[in-house]
Amino acid sequence: MSEPKIFLPGSTLGVMGSGQLGRMLAIAARRMGYRVHTFSPERDTPTGQIADLEVCASYDDEQAVRAFASGVDVLTFEFENIPVESIRWAAAHCVVRPSGQVLHLCQHRLREKAFLRSAGLPLADFEPVTSEAGLREAVERLGVPSVLKTAAFGYDGKGQRKLSPDSDLAEAWAGFAGQHAVLEAWVPFEREISVIVARSEDGSTATYPVCENIHTNHILDLTLVPARISEPVAAAAAALAVSVAKALNLVGVLAVELFLLPDGRILINELAPRPHNSGHFSFDASITSQFEQQLRAVCGLPLGSTESLRPVAMANLLGDAWSNGEPDWLAVAAMPDVKLHLYGKAEPRPGRKMGHLVAFGATVEAAAETARAARSALAREVR
Ligand code: AMP
């Protein structure tokens, strides 16, 4: 076996992508004395504002990707939609973690689902769909309601369509035509939960307490930690996340989104081979945040403690909060149990993730109430 590759403080971490996940990774990395370079097609990005170096080029620019990778010791990515080819170019010049294979699997729903099924892991029934006739056959087998999703490049509910008994399948398919899609059986879940798991090259793993996620318009709205579920369910969810990380031979951090059924069964919804919105609580509430853990895992350091210090709730701040002008930051600053995170994005478009709030409480319910109150306090009244 080859020697494990360890990158100590002072090394340079490369981050493909430049959004808020890279920003929080960069904060964690710079705090521990690493240098951070980021690569994306944009300038003045959430990650770039923190990094030592922001490279602005297309992911398809082979020369730029190779030059970037030559200038870092270890490279990771902060979102899945980086072309696998770019990761292959990079891997010729530096260590890449997680591997390109993990990225390749997780950026395509069908590949991901086929992998999970072949690994014997639980997920909702599904059918690949490539034509209207195929959609009709799939609906015949899986029934309605069911959910039609694009196989690639979907996130936050984009590229999804719920089918009901009165859906016009020709019209539904028209929105997907030309793309590979997947029809998923409807899951009558009781709760949506997620587990963030980290895995090192030596195979050691660490899981965070289970998150309970509440979505609005398919976008994560609120996360409560610990989730309001029984101990055995929490243990089963954590064990499942570890199984997925092992099956993937992951080195890094993985978010496993799960559906909890009323009978206590758990199904995997989707995977993200990176820190996740539902794990943002850990930045303030855990001994080791998911971002520091990502850094540790990809740099070959031992994993840190995932213990969470207090019940906590995270509320996303979307661009909609700016609809009546700049939010009332002072109102939130006056709340001592609330932490404000802003991602440095200039343009607050509706639905765009601009930041989040983390609130503490004696219970998760109290924390959630404080998080909601803080978010309301930000909203300006229309005058
Ligand atoms: P996704 O982008 O696949 O995570 O889906 C976004 C959200 O849509 C999920 O968090 C669920 O709230 C809902 N959803 C997705 N797939 C299903 C399903 N098969 N059954 C019920 N709800 C679903």
Side-chain angles (χ1 to χ4, degrees):
M1 233 179 91
S2 62
E3 282 292 299
K5 295 195 184 75
I6 296 173
F7 302 95
L8 295 172
S11 305
T12 302
L13 172 70
V15 183
M16 296 296 271
S18 61
Q20 60 268 20
L21 300 176
R23 179 185 183 88
M24 290 182 268
L25 169 61
I27 291 171
R30 294 205 61 167
R31 191 173 67 173
M32 283 177 65
Y34 286 82
R35 295 205 165 265
V36 179
H37 295 182
T38 181
F39 184 109
S40 82
E42 278 110 48
R43 276 182 213 288
D44 190 27
T45 58
T47 311
Q49 291 163 12
I50 308 294
D52 298 84
L53 178 71
E54 179 179 57
V55 173
C56 177
S58 160
Y59 296 121
D60 304 326
D61 183 339
E62 179 171 354
Q63 226 182 346
V65 170
R66 288 186 185 275
F68 180 77
S70 302
V72 306
D73 296 301
V74 55
L75 182 135
T76 193
F77 41 85
E78 64 104 52
F79 86 132
E80 290 93 290
N81 295 339
I82 311 273
V84 169
E85 191 62 15
S86 313
I87 297 297
R88 246 181 245 132
W89 296 330
H93 304 275
C94 65
V95 170
V96 176
R97 291 171 173 157
S99 67
Q101 289 97 302
V102 169
L103 181 72
H104 183 67
L105 262 180
C106 295
Q107 63 186 200
H108 194 272
R109 275 185 208 282
L110 268 175
R111 278 199 290 270
E112 182 177 294
K113 285 177 185 297
F115 165 80
L116 291 170
R117 189 185 260 173
S118 71
L121 295 162
L123 74 166
D125 208 352
F126 68 93
E127 282 289 341
V129 179
T130 53
S131 65
E132 189 191 319
L135 176 61
R136 290 187 189 282
E137 281 169 32
V139 167
E140 212 148 281
R141 194 173 85 70
L142 298 178
V144 281
S146 48
V147 191
L148 184 61
K149 302 180 178 181
T150 50
F153 297 108
Y155 66 96
D156 288 343
K158 291 187 175 68
Q160 285 200 25
R161 169 99 188 234
K162 183 177 174 181
L163 302 181
S164 54
D166 48 357
S167 291
D168 176 343
L169 296 186
E171 188 254 329
W173 180 249
F176 287 77
Q179 302 185 52
H180 282 246
V182 53
L183 186 72
E184 231 180 85
W186 184 252
V187 181
F189 58 80
E190 185 183 86
R191 286 180 203 277
E192 289 191 80
I193 58 178
S194 57
V195 176
I196 312 291
V197 57
R199 186 168 179 275
S200 305
E201 202 184 27
D202 68 6
S204 52
T205 56
T207 54
Y208 283 84
V210 179
C211 306
E212 176 176 341
N213 302 320
I214 299 162
H215 293 85
T216 306
N217 298 329
H218 296 287
I219 300 180
L220 183 64
D221 183 51
L222 210 63
T223 293
L224 278 55
V225 183
R228 293 168 297 175
I229 54 177
S230 70
E231 261 307 311
V233 169
L240 190 51
V242 168
S243 304
V244 178
K246 275 189 189 157
L248 284 171
N249 200 19
L250 174 90
V251 179
V253 162
L254 173 78
V256 184
E257 293 183 37
L258 303 162
F259 294 127
L260 173 60
L261 297 172
D263 63 6
R265 278 186 309 133
I266 301 169
L267 299 179
I268 298 171
N269 173 22
E270 62 180 5
L271 310 178
R274 49 157 173 82
H276 189 255
N277 196 167
S278 64
H280 286 0
F281 77 92
S282 64
F283 201 107
D284 300 294
S286 305
I287 290 178
T288 311
S289 75
Q290 61 170 349
F291 305 101
E292 180 181 330
Q293 201 74 297
Q294 179 187 22
L295 175 78
R296 285 170 173 262
V298 304
C299 289
L301 305 184
L303 299 178
S305 166
T306 55
E307 188 185 341
S308 176
L309 303 170
R310 283 177 71 185
V312 61
M314 187 282 314
N316 268 339
L317 288 180
L318 302 182
D320 312 63
W322 274 250
S323 53
N324 297 325
E326 190 71 13
D328 186 357
W329 305 125
L330 268 182
V332 160
M335 301 175 82
D337 286 335
V338 177
K339 312 292 285 185
L340 171 67
H341 294 251
L342 289 172
Y343 307 148
K345 298 180 184 176
E347 217 187 305
R349 291 190 294 274
R352 189 177 196 203
K353 290 177 180 170
M354 299 296 290
H356 66 268
L357 299 166
V358 173
F360 295 93
T363 61
V364 278
E365 285 87 358
E369 201 170 306
T370 304
R372 283 198 174 101
R375 197 163 49 183
S376 304
L378 284 177
R380 297 277 185 193
E381 299 293 326
V382 191
R383 271 186 276 252

